[in-house]
Amino acid sequence: MSITPTTTGQDTLQKFIFDNAAVRGELIDISATWREVLKRHDYPAPVKKVLGHMTAAAALLSANLKFNGSIVMQIHGDGPVNLLVVECDAELRLRATAKLVTGATVPDDATLTTLLNAQGKGRFVITLDPLDKVPGQQPYQGIVPLDGDDVATVIENYMLRSEQLDTKLWLAADDHVSRGLLLQKLPYHGGKAEATPLSEEDALETWNRAVMLGSTLKEKELLETGIDVLIQRLFWEETIRVFDPLHPQFHCSCTREKVGNMLKMLGREEVESVIAELGQVAVNCDFCGQHYAYDKVDCAQLFASDAPVETLIPAGEAKH
Ligand SMILES: [Zn+2]
């Protein structure tokens, strides 16, 4: 029954809902996107694993939120890894990067904790940046301590504490594959169900059964099995409704204009001093590796233009 991961092909996110509407779920295979990320970076295996989990999780959360915009998921670390970032936009286009401490060694058995929370100062940050912002509106940002020893647990705790949503995640990633399962209990407000005709007690029973079925899913099985097979294997005894599949993909939103704006924010003096020393300012995109270079002429044009700095790089993203 197991499917060998294909080297090409389209990524798929499959949403489903239990027929009594007590539980919703999503299965994702984001392997093609993940391989696009890895093509551009060579990270130690434990870093790949954590970032691969985050990439699947960002798409799962993004598709699940009643929110039209980008989600940026970050872990700020205090160990050998400084920062992990995954961005997913409203069309499920993703990019991801990791920043390691220069010269740091990463043991093969490193965990989320030893990589990013060695002194208990790691932070998990979710930023929701709406597409249709009113002028002056700031993106929503949630920042919590790194509570858990894997990405799934950290997000489950965040969703429960910050969003009051019972959420369970199963994530798996290696050099070729990144897949995940998300289950979420549909919320009751003041004892009233949002969508299900079930009593709260029966809805809870459905939720517990769904989590039990999800918990039979082992990492190896998730790595080796396509999601179309998994959905049947896990939930064959349940009546579930599936929605039209969505197709996440890799995309980097960097542009020469954005890099130019960032240089403007650095200031003319700073940029000119680098050009005086090195002949040019060279910037590589941390996400896709795209190279941008500005020489003396480019720089003069950049600062001669009176166009305002329009596209500000959000806080935490200024890593070019
Ligand atoms: Zn880029």
Side-chain angles (χ1 to χ4, degrees):
M1 283 287 263
S2 92
I3 291 174
T4 313
T6 50
T7 47
T8 56
Q10 201 176 29
D11 284 340
T12 302
L13 187 150
Q14 180 65 64
K15 286 192 193 193
F16 58 93
I17 189 162
F18 279 57
D19 201 36
N20 58 28
V23 175
R24 65 182 161 204
E26 294 171 80
L27 268 159
I28 192 171
D29 184 342
I30 204 158
S31 301
T33 299
W34 178 231
R35 287 191 294 267
E36 288 297 319
V37 171
L38 291 185
K39 236 190 239 175
R40 294 159 171 85
H41 303 282
D42 184 22
Y43 299 128
V47 177
K48 275 185 203 168
K49 186 170 169 173
V50 175
L51 191 64
H53 286 188
M54 269 176 79
T55 306
L60 287 167
L61 286 196
S62 183
N64 201 28
L65 291 170
K66 288 177 190 156
F67 164 76
N68 186 24
S70 298
I71 174 167
V72 184
M73 199 182 270
Q74 295 172 313
I75 298 180
H76 293 262
D78 64 2
V81 179
N82 272 332
L83 181 68
L84 301 176
V85 189
V86 180
E87 293 182 22
C88 181
D89 71 12
E91 294 162 56
L92 296 180
R93 298 184 304 175
L94 290 110
R95 60 179 191 168
T97 190
K99 200 170 180 180
L100 277 72
V101 174
T102 313
T105 49
V106 174
D108 286 346
D109 61 350
T111 63
L112 180 75
T113 303
T114 56
L115 287 176
L116 290 136
N117 204 24
Q119 294 146 60
K121 292 192 178 128
R123 289 289 177 272
F124 176 67
V125 184
I126 280 194
T127 309
L128 302 179
D129 196 3
L131 207 56
D132 319 304
K133 270 199 293 276
V134 295
Q137 185 183 353
Q138 294 296 314
Y140 164 82
Q141 196 166 65
I143 304 177
V144 293
L146 211 49
D147 184 7
D149 196 28
D150 55 58
V151 172
T153 311
V154 169
I155 294 174
E156 287 165 6
N157 287 333
Y158 172 81
M159 293 303 282
L160 188 62
R161 288 183 196 154
S162 303
E163 309 294 327
Q164 283 78 50
L165 285 170
D166 276 299
T167 308
K168 291 297 282 181
L169 281 159
W170 293 266
L171 304 166
D174 62 14
D175 283 359
H176 306 281
V177 175
S178 170
R179 294 203 184 101
L181 165 68
L182 174 146
L183 294 174
Q184 198 162 67
K185 185 167 168 278
L186 282 157
Y188 269 74
H189 296 299
K192 282 205 157 184
E194 202 167 78
T196 175
L198 295 184
S199 70
E200 192 160 4
E201 203 177 33
D202 289 344
L204 185 62
E205 200 182 296
T206 303
W207 166 246
N208 288 336
R209 200 172 63 244
V211 172
M212 198 191 70
L213 294 170
S215 301
T216 64
L217 183 56
K218 298 289 173 272
E219 189 182 2
K220 187 169 182 289
E221 187 182 14
L222 190 50
L223 285 174
E224 291 175 352
T225 319
I227 60 171
D228 48 342
V229 174
L230 284 176
I231 197 167
Q232 289 174 30
R233 198 185 281 178
L234 290 169
F235 303 117
W236 66 277
E237 278 184 300
E238 304 290 328
T239 311
I240 58 170
R241 275 181 282 156
V242 297
F243 298 89
D244 287 340
L246 302 170
H247 299 293
Q249 55 180 292
F250 179 85
H251 170 76
C252 189
S253 53
C254 69
T255 61
R256 189 169 173 85
E257 186 195 3
K258 286 185 190 174
V259 174
N261 284 339
M262 196 197 63
L263 294 179
K264 279 188 184 176
M265 286 163 69
L266 272 181
R268 181 168 204 149
E269 210 173 303
E270 177 83 25
V271 173
E272 281 180 345
S273 80
V274 175
I275 290 175
E277 195 186 335
L278 303 170
Q280 62 168 15
V281 177
V283 178
N284 287 328
C285 174
D286 278 347
F287 289 92
C288 71
Q290 176 71 44
H291 180 75
Y292 298 95
Y294 288 77
D295 62 14
K296 206 171 173 179
V297 176
D298 298 327
C299 172
Q301 272 173 358
L302 194 64
F303 286 99
S305 133
D306 12 302
V309 178
E310 276 171 8
T311 322
L312 295 180
I313 312 259
E317 199 196 315
K319 294 171 280 70
H320 291 282

